[in-house]
Amino acid sequence: MGRLEFNFPIFLTLIHYSIDWILLAFFKTMSLLPVSPPKTTPFSSLFSLIMAFASGLANTCLKYNSVGFYQMAKIAVTPTIVFAEFIRFRKTISFKKVLALAVVLAGIAVATVTDLEFNAFGACIAIAWIIPSAINKILWSNLQQEANWTSLALMWKTTPITIFFLLALMPWLDPPGVLSFKWDINNSTAVLTLALLGFLLQWSGALAVGATCATSHVVLGQFKTCVIVVGGYLLFNSDPGFVSRCGAVAALGGTSVYTSLSLKETNHRSSSKQLPTQIPLPKSKTSENGSEGSTVTSTSNVV
């Protein structure tokens, strides 16, 4: 959308999901696609609509705003997920994890504060993107963990409906003139390569959110931002400034603490499930007779 001036974010998202559908159809033809659960999800259409808004608005946000402002908008996704999971599932997180999340979000805010370019329409798009993005991550996590869906099977189920909703969104959010774009070899290759990378991103993201939770998936995304800032400074001599580097390092520390706390909670739940159940021994007849004054003894009372 910058160098190539491809100013059609919804159509770009449509290409991504179309490539996804083609690749998933190939996997299904080769019997590489996992079998869907026998119990179908009753809100697949709603899920697909949310996916269309989450992905389409994300690309639209990047068109009208800088990457730094996009990262700032992602910060608001984390408390939205925590609040939504508490309202819907009564799920709570510990105070230590709240502190770790606060350090991560503050660090990201400091690391990206030097790149805040936006306009009024772009800010409205970013605000509208927050809630669909949070709900999308919660549904991906819940359907894989509770309904036993695999990531590829869920992608195969929802991608066709998502394409339909993206087609409906194009006239509203994309400017006219997509056919007049210069579709030469270089530009077409760049768009298709981005679509393939989008498939890998969606697949790996679905695997991550299914193996962890929606909040952990957002923290992983913030960790990626820190890696970009610190890695650019160490490998490519890109200096974002001392304040940004300190913010990225602080966010990395908060991410490490959050990960450690999550692993401890997971290990604790696993060990609790493996503990054997204590079954009380029945009273022996000799103990009952003894309570009535009988002098009969038995070695069967000794365990």
Side-chain angles (χ1 to χ4, degrees), residues 59-201:
N59 285 336
T60 307
C61 181
L62 285 171
K63 174 187 175 182
Y64 290 99
N65 307 306
S66 64
V67 177
F69 187 82
Y70 174 73
Q71 295 296 337
M72 292 291 287
K74 286 178 65 175
I75 291 177
V77 175
T78 303
T80 304
I81 290 175
V82 174
F83 179 74
E85 288 187 328
F86 174 75
I87 295 298
R88 179 63 180 86
F89 305 108
R90 295 300 173 185
K91 183 178 179 180
T92 59
I93 60 177
S94 64
F95 180 71
K96 292 182 179 179
K97 293 178 74 172
V98 171
L99 290 179
L101 286 174
V103 172
V104 173
L105 300 183
I108 292 296
V110 173
T112 58
V113 71
T114 57
D115 183 28
L116 294 181
E117 298 179 5
F118 63 96
N119 55 36
F121 181 74
C124 293
I125 291 294
I127 294 173
W129 166 76
I130 292 173
I131 293 179
S133 177
I135 297 176
N136 182 49
K137 296 179 187 300
I138 293 173
L139 288 177
W140 271 103
S141 177
N142 183 262
L143 286 174
Q144 291 186 79
Q145 295 181 7
E146 303 296 333
N148 297 322
W149 281 86
T150 62
S151 57
L152 286 177
L154 194 55
M155 289 170 62
W156 173 253
K157 176 72 175 180
T158 56
T159 297
I161 312 176
T162 304
I163 292 175
F164 171 78
F165 286 122
L166 287 171
L167 286 171
L169 283 175
M170 277 184 59
W172 298 94
L173 295 176
D174 271 359
V178 65
L179 297 179
S180 61
F181 178 73
K182 187 179 179 181
W183 292 100
D184 56 14
I185 297 297
N186 292 332
N187 293 345
S188 300
T189 302
V191 172
L192 291 177
T193 302
L194 186 59
L196 292 174
L197 292 175
F199 171 76
L200 296 177
L201 176 63

